[in-house]
Amino acid sequence: MADFKEENADYIEVGKKEVQKTKEIENSAETAVKNLEKDQTQANLDLATSKVDAVTDADKKEKFQKRIATVKTAIEAKKEKELEDKAETAVKNLENNQSRDNIDDAKNKVNAVNNSTKKEAFNNRIKAVVSAIETKEAEEAAQAEEARKAEEARQAQEQAAAEEAARQQAEAQQAQQQAASGYSRDARGRWHRPNGQYASKAEIAAAGLPW
């Protein structure tokens, strides 16, 4: 027996080192998985996965992987909850502040949600707000059009009144000029002298009357 140990000493030593190395790998994996279970972060998940991949014992590796899978499910659920909370905040902000500026943010946050049922519910709330915004915009556009037409009508009325006032003023001035000059104008627009005879263009111009 002593001779066997002496002859195979090198092989025995190598075997011991391999066993020790395997144990260290398994201990490292155990430490990483425990740390992951205690502090469930993506960084610790990646580290634990890497350490477990190095384990050569199939049964031990499977047990490690099941523990990792449990934590991974919890991490993914936490991430999804965070995405849903962000979507809820964005949609609520849109509902409370119904502006087109808030629509894209709400849509982007909702698009990141993976749960199809919750995503549909969020999208329905967004659609309701978009519909309300469009209705409000249509009402405002109609009111603006009515205001524009009313302003046009007011300006047209003012212009007509100004033109009428100018016409009346011109007629009054003409009447005064006629009275002062003694000339009169018939229905056909011809000027007459005080004695009823037709007046010449020169006379009318000299009297300051329009021909």
Side-chain angles (χ1 to χ4, degrees), residues 5-63:
K5 288 183 177 181
E6 185 177 345
E7 291 175 1
N8 295 279
D10 291 340
Y11 294 106
I12 293 172
E13 186 62 28
V14 170
K16 287 181 179 179
K17 288 182 178 180
E18 286 296 325
V19 170
Q20 182 64 30
K21 182 178 179 182
T22 299
K23 188 64 176 175
E24 289 175 355
I25 291 173
E26 291 172 357
N27 288 341
S28 179
E30 176 64 28
T31 300
V33 172
K34 277 187 176 179
N35 185 52
L36 170 62
E37 290 169 331
K38 182 180 179 181
D39 186 10
Q40 299 181 358
T41 66
Q42 186 63 46
N44 288 337
L45 174 61
D46 294 339
L47 179 60
T49 300
S50 175
K51 295 294 184 182
V52 169
D53 284 344
V55 174
T56 56
D57 186 299
D59 290 336
K60 291 182 179 180
K61 177 179 283 190
E62 183 179 1
K63 290 179 180 179

Side-chain angles (χ1 to χ4, degrees), residues 5 8 10 16 18 32 34 37 68 84 92-93 133 140 145-146 152 157 162 174 189 196 206 208:
K5 288 183 177 181
N8 295 279
D10 291 340
K16 287 181 179 179
E18 286 296 325
K34 277 187 176 179
E37 290 169 331
I68 289 176
E84 291 170 4
K92 273 188 177 179
N93 180 56
I133 290 174
E140 290 175 347
E145 180 63 15
E146 289 179 3
E152 286 183 351
Q157 187 175 11
Q174 183 175 323

Side-chain angles (χ1 to χ4, degrees), residues 43-206:
N44 288 337
L45 174 61
D46 294 339
L47 179 60
T49 300
S50 175
K51 295 294 184 182
V52 169
D53 284 344
V55 174
T56 56
D57 186 299
D59 290 336
K60 291 182 179 180
K61 177 179 283 190
E62 183 179 1
K63 290 179 180 179
F64 281 135
Q65 288 174 337
K66 285 182 178 179
R67 290 165 65 186
I68 289 176
T70 299
V71 177
K72 185 177 181 181
T73 299
I75 290 175
E76 290 175 348
K78 182 181 178 181
K79 285 182 178 179
E80 181 62 19
K81 182 65 167 57
E82 290 174 351
L83 293 174
E84 291 170 4
D85 288 345
K86 288 180 180 179
E88 176 65 28
T89 299
V91 173
K92 273 188 177 179
N93 180 56
L94 174 61
E95 290 171 331
N96 294 333
N97 303 280
Q98 298 189 1
S99 165
R100 286 197 176 274
D101 294 338
N102 296 326
I103 294 176
D104 286 343
D105 181 56
K107 284 184 176 180
N108 290 336
K109 295 295 194 303
V110 169
N111 285 338
V113 174
N114 295 307
N115 186 302
S116 58
T117 301
K118 292 184 178 181
K119 179 179 285 189
E120 182 180 3
F122 281 133
N123 281 325
N124 286 338
R125 289 166 64 185
I126 291 175
K127 288 177 183 177
V129 176
V130 171
S131 178
I133 290 174
E134 289 175 345
T135 298
K136 182 180 178 181
E137 288 175 343
E139 291 174 352
E140 290 175 347
Q143 291 173 355
E145 180 63 15
E146 289 179 3
R148 185 188 66 79
K149 289 181 178 180
E151 178 61 18
E152 286 183 351
R154 184 191 66 77
Q155 291 179 0
Q157 187 175 11
E158 287 184 353
Q159 183 176 354
E163 290 175 353
E164 177 61 19
R167 186 188 63 79
Q168 292 179 359
Q169 184 179 7
E171 289 182 351
Q173 290 176 346
Q174 183 175 323
Q176 290 177 352
Q177 289 176 336
Q178 286 182 226
S181 64
Y183 293 98
S184 62
R185 202 170 197 179
D186 59 28
R188 294 166 59 189
R190 294 296 303 274
W191 288 100
H192 297 267
R193 298 179 184 135
N195 61 9
Q197 295 178 341
Y198 287 120
S200 68
K201 188 174 184 178
E203 289 180 73
I204 296 306

